[in-house]
Amino acid sequence: MQRHYPTFRMLVCLKEKGITRSINALINKDTNEYARKHPNQKMRDAQYYFKENKNRVEAVMNLLADDKSRAVLGGVLEYRMHKTPITKELYSENDQYFVEGVIDFADGEIFVDGGAYTGDTIQQFIDTARKKRKKIHRIVSFEPDDENWKILTKFYGKRKRIKLIKKGLSDGSKTLFFASKDAGAKIVDSVEEADTQIEVIDIDSVPECHDATWIKMDIEGAEWDAIHGAKETIIRNHPKLTICIYHSDEDMLRLAEYIHDLVPEYKLYVRHHSKREVETVLYAVME
């Protein structure tokens, strides 16, 4: 369906307006109500993890820059543990990575797009920059999945200011097992779980990323390794960071802790962009 550019643009538009996620939330409503009454193992694991790490939860809350971030994080943790509904003031569905009042565009952005998928974030970045009348210096996008790559290169392969790299992100250059499942594609631990292998690389070793001003990551649970692989870039440039933290209970805490340790001057925000446990984003910005 996304192979034709007009259809792709329509899907991006629906995503920007939050319509696709609203449909997904309606589909999952009954499932959530059942889960509240019958907790599954994932919910029990979350309850145990956040209870055992209560002090870390409180410490991360104290790192956050505003009351809304603390309310959002608390609401998301309650959903992960108990499927308590996330109230509408705690999420927004049409501004993921580009939240007004949290993160701002500047002229000459060098945007590193970790997890390009088929180019939806690339297009949103271009659209938002155009609306704000900001010039883009370069977009560097990473996408390892074969099917996504075909679409990505079809739409953006000939754009002069866009560099596409057919690799995933991690803490170094290596080959990893990969399970290819459309938007849910991810790095896995064993050959039994995988259907292919992918090449990964660290941001610090990519010349086009050397002067990065903005790093986005939605890479299906590989954010922890990839952030370590961007350590030098982050310390050197203090780029804006928009990092998904929803892929594991651990990531909900450790990514904020690590980024704060790297650059204590960052202001950290948490925003949530769906009615479910997905699309929680940590924003790190300099004053």
Side-chain angles (χ1 to χ4, degrees):
M1 188 176 181
Q2 296 192 46
R3 292 179 182 278
H4 302 288
Y5 189 69
T7 304
F8 170 76
R9 289 294 286 116
M10 180 188 72
L11 291 172
V12 170
C13 182
L14 291 175
K15 180 183 176 183
E16 291 175 345
K17 294 180 182 299
I19 294 172
T20 51
R21 288 182 186 145
S22 296
I23 293 170
N24 289 336
L26 288 173
I27 293 170
N28 285 279
K29 182 179 179 182
D30 291 340
T31 303
N32 292 340
E33 290 176 354
Y34 179 84
R36 281 194 289 275
K37 298 176 182 177
H38 308 278
N40 59 24
Q41 188 60 50
K42 184 177 179 181
M43 292 169 63
R44 290 192 291 270
D45 289 345
Q47 292 165 17
Y48 176 81
Y49 180 81
F50 293 118
K51 181 180 178 181
E52 289 296 300
N53 290 279
K54 180 180 178 181
N55 290 340
R56 288 177 64 201
V57 172
E58 292 177 357
V60 169
M61 289 285 189
N62 289 331
L63 291 178
L64 300 179
D66 64 353
D67 289 339
K68 181 166 183 177
S69 293
R70 288 182 278 273
V72 170
L73 182 59
V76 172
L77 297 189
E78 278 297 313
Y79 187 91
R80 296 177 78 92
M81 292 186 289
H82 306 294
K83 287 296 185 287
T84 304
I86 300 171
T87 53
K88 61 183 180 181
E89 68 271 12
L90 296 183
Y91 70 90
S92 57
E93 296 184 306
N94 62 347
D95 59 353
Q96 185 169 346
Y97 311 126
F98 310 113
V99 179
E100 290 281 351
V102 170
I103 198 158
D104 296 317
F105 269 76
D107 274 323
E109 295 281 11
I110 298 175
F111 181 66
V112 178
D113 180 17
Y117 187 41
T118 56
D120 53 345
T121 304
I122 292 175
Q123 191 59 55
Q124 285 182 269
F125 189 83
I126 292 170
D127 291 346
T128 306
R130 185 179 295 121
K131 289 175 187 175
K132 294 180 176 293
R133 298 182 180 180
K134 301 295 183 181
K135 295 179 181 178
I136 297 170
H137 183 72
R138 184 186 309 126
I139 297 172
V140 187
S141 285
F142 297 84
E143 176 54 50
D145 181 73
D146 288 336
E147 290 303 312
N148 293 341
W149 180 258
K150 290 176 185 177
I151 300 171
L152 188 64
T153 52
K154 181 178 180 180
F155 295 158
Y156 298 104
K158 296 181 180 180
R159 304 278 188 102
K160 189 165 73 170
R161 296 190 181 273
I162 300 176
K163 171 71 173 179
L164 304 179
I165 298 175
K166 193 178 185 297
K167 293 184 179 182
L169 288 177
S170 189
D171 55 0
S173 297
K174 50 193 168 184
T175 303
L176 297 175
F177 296 119
F178 192 66
S180 176
K181 297 178 182 176
D182 299 321
K186 61 181 180 180
I187 293 168
V188 293
D189 294 327
S190 66
V191 66
E192 289 79 16
E193 301 173 88
D195 53 35
T196 188
Q197 293 180 320
I198 62 166
E199 298 297 318
V200 296
I201 197 169
D202 57 294
I203 285 174
D204 286 339
S205 70
V206 178
E208 292 87 350
C209 298
H210 184 270
D211 296 320
T213 64
W214 190 328
I215 297 174
K216 164 259 179 181
M217 291 183 189
D218 186 359
I219 46 179
E220 307 304 332
E223 287 82 1
W224 178 246
D225 288 340
I227 279 287
H228 283 75
K231 177 181 176 180
E232 294 176 11
T233 304
I234 292 170
I235 292 174
R236 180 179 61 250
N237 298 350
H238 298 168
K240 306 174 183 79
L241 302 177
T242 48
I243 311 297
C244 286
I245 60 174
Y246 66 88
H247 292 108
S248 73
D249 295 331
E250 283 185 297
D251 282 356
M252 298 294 293
L253 304 180
R254 64 180 179 175
L255 284 165
E257 294 168 335
Y258 182 69
I259 289 169
H260 173 73
D261 287 344
L262 285 183
V263 184
E265 296 81 9
Y266 269 135
K267 294 188 73 173
L268 303 179
Y269 298 85
V270 174
R271 293 295 186 265
H272 190 67
H273 302 286
S274 80
K275 296 179 182 179
R276 301 185 293 128
E277 72 269 22
V278 298
E279 315 305 347
T280 312
V281 179
L282 177 69
Y283 296 81
V285 296
M286 300 295 289
E287 290 261 50

